[in-house]
Amino acid sequence: DGKLTRCEFSKVLEDIGYTSLADEELAFAAVDGNGDEVITYSEFAQWAGNTPIVHECPTFDIMNLVETWPDGLKWLVDTFHYYDADKSGSISKAEFAKLCDDSPHEPKPSWEQVKTDSDRD
């Protein structure tokens, strides 16, 4: 059906060498961009494209964060799902503006600083 369940994702992790993750549930939530309890092909492709097992140079490695920063990663996933109001799996310009309005941090980044070619407006 083109989607991975938690069990199937666990098997994928095992097959590529992530055999000792302390929290597979958190790993699943971090890859499940829209929080619908399945990992779609596009969610998997985005994760795989940013994972050191696929590319030789280290990048933002979600599985490493599951091990080294589980509380922070859980906060990050929960915060992303909160601001992804339409549950699309990405943050729109309006959703990003709300996030910035709510953030106490300064200076606030502009949409142009964080937008990538695949982002929607």
Side-chain angles (χ1 to χ4, degrees), residues 15-86:
D15 288 348
I16 63 174
Y18 290 106
T19 57
S20 62
L21 284 178
D23 192 342
E24 284 189 16
E25 294 296 313
L26 180 56
F28 184 89
V31 178
D32 179 18
N34 64 1
D36 65 355
E37 298 298 314
V38 293
I39 296 174
T40 63
Y41 175 79
S42 62
E43 289 168 333
F44 182 81
Q46 182 175 2
W47 167 70
N50 290 315
T51 301
I53 195 109
V54 177
H55 291 284
E56 291 182 19
C57 65
T59 60
F60 180 77
D61 181 4
I62 290 173
M63 296 309 125
N64 184 45
L65 291 178
V66 168
E67 290 293 316
T68 61
W69 194 53
D71 293 338
L73 184 58
K74 181 167 181 0
W75 172 85
L76 188 62
V77 169
D78 290 346
T79 301
F80 178 86
H81 287 166
Y82 176 80
Y83 285 102
D84 181 21
D86 63 4

Side-chain angles (χ1 to χ4, degrees), residues 75-85 90-111 114:
W75 172 85
L76 188 62
V77 169
D78 290 346
T79 301
F80 178 86
H81 287 166
Y82 176 80
Y83 285 102
D84 181 21
S90 63
I91 301 293
S92 69
K93 186 175 184 178
E95 292 164 339
F96 177 74
K98 169 76 172 131
L99 185 151
C100 286
D101 288 345
D102 291 351
S103 174
H105 302 288
E106 294 290 342
K108 299 191 188 310
S110 70
W111 178 247
V114 299

